[in-house]
């Protein structure tokens, strides 16, 4: 019989039931798959045709060229990373799985932020790890509730603290002082930091505010694992390549973590050779790919702000401030439940996500992807914003 940990409820949620009704005519304002949003790059996929990929010579932690290319990606951001501290994975999701295996035994606890990305509970279940959520304080622009983190570390003896930097869907980059305090807390309580930076290249403005940390890579402290990958960095989720950078001042501890990760990686050897060989060229194309995405994100954000402004000074709608990433949150009146809003918005032919799908504290927030193609986004706003503004 199947295991208990795979015994998830498969009864369709209200959200799934409602979205199942979405027809082809519906405008999907939650699209975050770049290959469905007009941002595909066939020329980059063609780079996988290198004849050297015909030979299989597995390297558990990744092909040396790929590991060096990742170090080069950080060097372009002013951060020096030793390629020997880079681990190549098939995706960031796989990186989470490998790190949970490395850091936690079945039944151990890992701390995760709330609100956050809805895949994390599944990734934890698959490793038989318990999740304990710590709050991000919305009224303080999603500041990490450090006191809650410490309480949870003490109460659960958590093995790791996960940080999504910037948050999904909050778009908040960790402040420098928060990052330092969190690193100190984790170290004091013998927990590792696991940092998901898939959106770190997408600050919303031209530069990140000075008090925000651009990346945890290169910071000093205890054992820290920074994860990212091609799916957001190069808008190539279908190539299936992610990475982990292992940080930490304690060389012996880092070496031990890498040696164990090598055995985890060797047990799967999941990353294809062609994509690893293409990685230097794929990462060289990152500025071009990201420039396209940034134009899209900025244009949709401008359209959103213009639509909210046009709703008039009495409008109850507010965009929740954010620092970056692909998502925008809009506060809608609490006169209706999240599901009622979802349903009414769908009746107008527009799909958005309710905040509860991301464990948002309380109702009254809708989530949209700014990566949606501009025409659908503008038309969707033209239909949905007047509806929301009426309450
Ligand atoms: C915060 C966050 N982390 C990780 C991922 C997964 O990335 P990957 O495709 O590398 O598994 C996503 C995908 O949307 C994400 O939003």
């Amino acid at each position: 019989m199947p295991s208990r940990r795979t015994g998830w409820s498969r009864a369709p949620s209200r959200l799934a039931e409602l979205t199942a009704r979405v027809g082809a005519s519906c405008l999907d304002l939650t699209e975050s798959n770049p290959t469905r949003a007009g941002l595909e790059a066939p020329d980059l996929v063609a780079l996988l045709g290198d004849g050297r990929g015909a030979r299989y010579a597995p390297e558990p932690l990744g092909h040396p060229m790929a590991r060096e290319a990742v170090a080069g990606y950080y060097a372009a951001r002013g951060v020096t990373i030793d390629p020997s501290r880079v681990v190549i994975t098939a995706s960031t999701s796989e990186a989470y799985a490998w790190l949970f295996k490395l850091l936690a035994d079945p039944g151990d606890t890992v701390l995760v932020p709330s609100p956050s990305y809805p895949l994390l509970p599944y990734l934890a279940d698959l490793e038989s790890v318990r999740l304990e959520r710590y709050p991000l304080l919305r009224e303080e622009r999603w500041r990490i509730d450090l006191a809650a983190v410490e309480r949870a570390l003490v109460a659960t003896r958590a093995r790791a603290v996960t940080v999504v930097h910037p948050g999904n869907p909050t778009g908040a980059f960790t402040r420098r002082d928060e990052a330092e305090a969190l690193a100190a807390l984790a170290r004091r309580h013998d927990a590792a930091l696991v940092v998901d930076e898939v959106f770190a290249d997408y600050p919303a403005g031209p530069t990140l505010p000075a008090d925000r940390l651009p990346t945890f890579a290169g910071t000093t402290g205890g054992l820290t694992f920074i994860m990212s990958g091609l799916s957001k960095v190069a808008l190539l989720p279908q190539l299936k390549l992610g990475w982990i950078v292992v940080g930490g001042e304690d060389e012996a501890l880092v070496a031990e973590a890498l040696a164990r990760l090598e055995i985890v990686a060797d047990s799967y050897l999941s990353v294809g050779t062609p994509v690893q060989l293409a990685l230097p060229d794929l990462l060289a194309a990152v500025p071009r790919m990201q420039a396209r995405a940034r134009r899209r994100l900025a244009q949709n954000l401008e359209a959103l702000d213009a639509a909210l402004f046009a709703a008039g000074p009495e409008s109850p709608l507010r965009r929740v401030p954010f620092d970056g990433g692909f998502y925008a949150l809009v506060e809608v009146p609490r006169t209706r439940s999240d599901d009622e809003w979802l349903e009414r918005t769908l009746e107008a032919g527009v799909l958005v996500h309710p905040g509860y799908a991301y464990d948002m504290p309380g109702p009254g927030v809708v989530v949209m992807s700014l990566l949606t193609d501009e025409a659908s986004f503008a038309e969707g706003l033209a239909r949905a914003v007047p509806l929301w503004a009426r309450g």
Side-chain angles (χ1 to χ4, degrees):
M1 286 305 290
S3 63
R4 280 194 300 280
R5 72 182 144 165
T6 53
W8 303 287
S9 164
R10 297 196 304 279
S13 64
R14 186 79 186 119
L15 173 60
E17 271 174 9
L18 288 171
T19 52
R21 287 202 233 137
V22 173
S25 62
C26 186
L27 297 162
D28 183 356
L29 268 52
T30 69
E31 187 58 82
S32 59
N33 175 346
T35 70
R36 280 201 306 242
L39 294 169
E40 55 274 49
D43 59 322
L44 297 184
V45 178
L47 292 172
L48 268 58
D50 186 325
R52 287 174 304 166
R55 223 182 125 246
Y56 184 46
E59 297 266 6
L61 293 178
H63 192 289
M65 255 172 67
R67 299 171 80 191
E68 267 162 41
V70 171
Y73 162 86
Y74 287 97
R77 282 148 187 77
V79 178
T80 304
I81 298 291
D82 183 338
S84 71
R85 286 183 170 217
V86 174
V87 181
I88 305 294
T89 66
S91 64
T92 313
S93 311
E94 186 178 67
Y96 272 108
W98 289 6
L99 292 173
F100 290 171
K101 286 182 215 300
L102 171 74
L103 298 167
D105 285 307
D108 280 348
T109 299
V110 166
L111 306 189
V112 297
S114 171
S116 185
Y117 175 50
L119 191 65
L120 294 177
Y122 288 91
L123 295 174
D125 284 350
L126 286 166
E127 304 309 324
S128 299
V129 167
R130 287 186 52 242
L131 282 192
E132 180 82 17
R133 296 170 206 276
Y134 64 86
L136 304 175
L137 304 171
R138 177 167 161 190
E139 58 284 4
E140 294 181 44
R141 283 194 68 155
W142 309 111
R143 185 178 277 283
I144 295 172
D145 187 340
L146 291 166
V149 172
E150 179 147 40
R151 278 195 303 276
L153 281 167
V154 172
T156 68
R157 298 169 164 269
R159 307 304 307 134
V161 183
T162 299
V163 186
V164 185
H165 172 83
N168 173 0
T170 63
F173 277 78
T174 314
R175 295 160 180 87
R176 292 176 190 274
D177 61 342
E178 281 173 291
E180 261 175 47
L182 198 62
L185 269 182
R187 204 171 191 179
R188 186 153 7 109
H189 294 280
D190 203 24
L193 275 188
V194 172
V195 189
D196 177 343
E197 293 197 346
V198 297
F199 292 113
D201 281 344
Y202 297 96
T207 52
L208 199 59
D211 66 333
R212 307 278 165 164
L213 187 70
T215 171
F216 279 72
T219 56
T220 53
L223 200 55
T224 304
F225 300 90
I226 297 110
M227 306 178 290
S228 192
L230 287 184
S231 115
K232 306 293 188 283
V233 162
L235 303 158
L236 295 166
Q238 75 278 36
L239 296 198
K240 305 309 298 176
L241 186 140
W243 59 80
I244 303 167
V245 174
V246 185
E249 286 162 12
D250 184 337
E251 294 284 346
L253 193 57
V254 169
E256 181 67 21
L258 281 163
R260 291 181 184 219
L261 277 174
E262 182 164 4
I263 298 174
V264 175
D266 199 17
S267 307
Y268 296 100
L269 295 170
S270 49
V271 197
T273 304
V275 69
Q276 296 196 66
L277 292 174
L279 193 60
D281 291 337
L282 294 170
L283 290 178
V286 159
R288 165 166 67 93
M289 293 299 287
Q290 290 190 356
R292 282 170 81 194
R294 269 200 216 98
R295 272 196 300 277
R296 168 74 57 86
L297 298 168
Q299 188 169 332
N300 282 338
L301 183 60
E302 212 179 295
L304 174 59
D305 285 345
L308 295 179
F309 185 77
E314 305 297 316
S315 160
L317 308 179
R318 296 280 173 275
R319 179 167 66 72
V320 180
F322 75 125
D323 310 307
F326 288 0
Y327 301 98
L329 310 183
V330 174
E331 288 175 14
V332 292
R334 296 187 180 190
T335 48
R336 297 175 199 283
S337 71
D338 281 3
D339 278 338
E340 278 171 331
W341 274 127
L342 181 64
E343 203 159 349
R344 284 179 71 88
T345 311
L346 273 173
E347 279 163 12
V350 181
L351 175 65
V352 291
H353 278 155
Y356 69 72
Y358 298 85
D359 202 25
M360 196 66 67
V365 172
V366 297
V367 182
M368 283 174 271
S369 165
L370 296 170
L371 209 64
T372 307
D373 82 84
E374 293 95 336
S376 306
F377 199 76
E379 175 58 25
L381 291 177
R383 293 189 203 174
V385 169
L387 183 78
W388 297 336
R390 281 199 297 275

